[in-house]
């Protein structure tokens, strides 16, 4: 009988992806094993450092620093904070400042948001930067270019907290994301019906088998979509966001739950 790991190993005809390395001893995003990313959601730099140390102890592969949750954050503070986190524990960092329209914690003028993202690059402390598709085209491409010049990999992301678009629109958006040239493509949608979750998984599979030559991260949010965070690797998704302390989106599961199930399915090494 074919095991889940063997089925995944066949990659179902997936196009070869260019994995994004996280560091020695860690699985690459888009490599042979799916990756666990824990969100860091804090209000102050002091709280962020304390939470980071607790998260690092739970051994996620990657920690996403949600900069939009930090109250009154300025570019200079961004550099100081990220460098402090980087020095505190050897866990790769993903820097994100989510637009409020896509689930961000607070409103901020686009110039201010971009300044914080550029400060994250200048810190020299991050391995990945999240760049949203809905950022204006010129600003988005300049940010992607700056990331490359700093040796920082990029995630181009699309979030819909209201609905799951129809299947053709999902595939079209994935193609639009891929066309930006970012290193990793991410899509998160909100399902209203069970069919929505199946459409997302099918669109993920189509992307990886027909046009996407880089790692993919997809998920359906909320209780209805929670299982996609576990089953995603069978359909081409290379990473799951899992809770260490505080969730950053509805439907995220505990790190230990994701790790245990993936190990039980032989998708991850013990």
């Amino acid at each position: 009988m074919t095991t889940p790991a063997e089925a995944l190993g066949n990659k179902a005809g997936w196009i070869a992806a260019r994995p994004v390395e996280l560091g020695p001893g860690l699985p690459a995003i888009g490599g042979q094993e799916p990756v666990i990313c824990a969100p860091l959601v804090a209000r102050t730099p002091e709280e962020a450092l304390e939470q980071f140390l607790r998260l690092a102890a739970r051994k996620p592969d990657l920690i996403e620093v949600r900069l939009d949750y930090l109250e009154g954050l300025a570019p200079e503070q961004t550099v100081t904070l990220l460098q402090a986190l980087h020095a505190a524990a050897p866990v790769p960092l993903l820097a994100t400042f989510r637009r409020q329209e896509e689930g961000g914690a607070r409103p901020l003028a686009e110039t201010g948001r971009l300044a914080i993202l550029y400060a994250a690059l200048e810190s020299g402390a991050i391995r990945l930067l999240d760049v949203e598709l809905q950022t204006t085209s010129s600003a988005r491409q300049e940010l992607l270019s700056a990331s490359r010049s700093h040796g920082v990999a990029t995630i181009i992301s699309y979030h819909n907290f209201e609905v799951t678009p129809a299947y053709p629109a999902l595939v079209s958006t994935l193609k639009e994301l891929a066309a930006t040239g970012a290193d990793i493509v991410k899509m998160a949608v909100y399902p209203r019906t069970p069919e929505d979750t199946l459409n997302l998984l099918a669109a993920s599979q189509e992307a990886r088998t027909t046009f996407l030559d880089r790692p993919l991260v997809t998920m359906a949010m909320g209780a209805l979509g929670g299982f996609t965070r576990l089953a995603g690797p069978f359909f081409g998704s290379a990473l799951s966001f899992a809770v260490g302390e505080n969730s950053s989106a509805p439907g995220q599961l505990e790190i230990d739950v994701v790790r245990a199930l993936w190990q039980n399915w032989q998708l991850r090494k013990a």
Side-chain angles (χ1 to χ4, degrees):
M1 184 176 73
T2 301
T3 67
E6 289 169 340
L8 183 63
N10 294 333
K11 301 295 186 185
W14 296 352
I15 298 170
R18 302 187 297 270
V20 173
E21 300 291 339
L22 293 178
L26 292 174
I29 301 175
Q32 292 301 308
E33 299 180 2
V35 168
I36 295 174
C37 180
L40 189 162
V41 177
R43 300 293 179 183
T44 67
E46 295 75 19
E47 181 187 345
L49 181 56
E50 292 171 0
Q51 185 182 142
F52 176 77
L53 292 172
R54 294 192 298 269
L55 285 177
R58 300 189 68 174
K59 301 187 184 305
D61 304 305
L62 180 67
I63 291 178
E64 179 187 36
V65 184
R66 284 291 300 268
L67 298 168
D68 50 295
Y69 277 88
L70 288 153
E71 297 172 350
L73 185 68
E76 301 79 16
Q77 294 172 307
T78 302
V79 171
T80 301
L81 172 62
L82 291 173
Q83 290 177 343
L85 298 181
H86 178 66
V91 183
L93 301 178
L94 159 62
T96 298
F97 196 115
R98 186 72 62 229
R99 297 168 67 248
Q100 192 174 39
E101 295 85 348
E102 294 192 54
R106 64 185 175 96
L108 186 67
E110 189 69 350
T111 53
R113 190 179 76 89
L114 291 174
I116 287 175
L117 292 176
Y118 277 105
L121 291 175
E122 295 293 338
S123 74
I126 65 171
R127 182 66 191 86
L128 286 148
L129 185 75
D130 182 289
V131 180
E132 292 167 330
L133 180 66
Q134 295 307 312
T135 305
T136 61
S137 178
S138 58
R140 182 186 68 216
Q141 295 309 124
E142 288 173 5
L143 195 52
L144 292 173
S145 178
S147 297
R148 283 191 290 272
S149 68
H150 282 82
V152 173
T154 50
I155 298 177
I156 186 73
S157 62
Y158 165 85
H159 303 81
N160 191 322
F161 279 79
E162 299 298 324
V163 298
T164 298
Y167 180 80
L170 291 174
V171 174
S172 177
T173 299
L174 287 171
K175 289 180 178 178
E176 185 179 1
L177 289 162
T180 64
D183 299 293
I184 300 168
V185 166
K186 177 190 174 189
M187 171 182 280
V189 295
Y190 200 94
R192 297 295 177 179
T193 68
E195 290 76 14
D196 286 340
T197 63
L198 298 180
N199 282 339
L200 176 72
L201 294 174
S204 303
Q205 174 78 356
E206 178 171 342
R208 289 296 290 113
T209 56
T210 62
F211 63 86
L212 189 60
D213 63 350
R214 68 208 66 186
L216 173 67
V217 178
T218 59
M219 68 220 68
M221 296 181 283
L224 188 59
F227 82 97
T228 65
R229 298 179 182 273
L230 295 170
F234 294 106
F235 298 87
S237 185
L239 178 151
S240 185
F241 290 85
V243 178
E245 291 198 6
N246 303 310
S247 65
S248 59
Q252 290 176 349
L253 305 172
E254 290 283 340
I255 289 176
D256 294 340
V257 171
V258 176
R259 180 181 287 122
L261 281 172
W262 281 355
Q263 288 175 355
N264 186 57
W265 293 343
Q266 301 177 44
L267 303 183
R268 282 289 299 253
K269 295 175 183 175

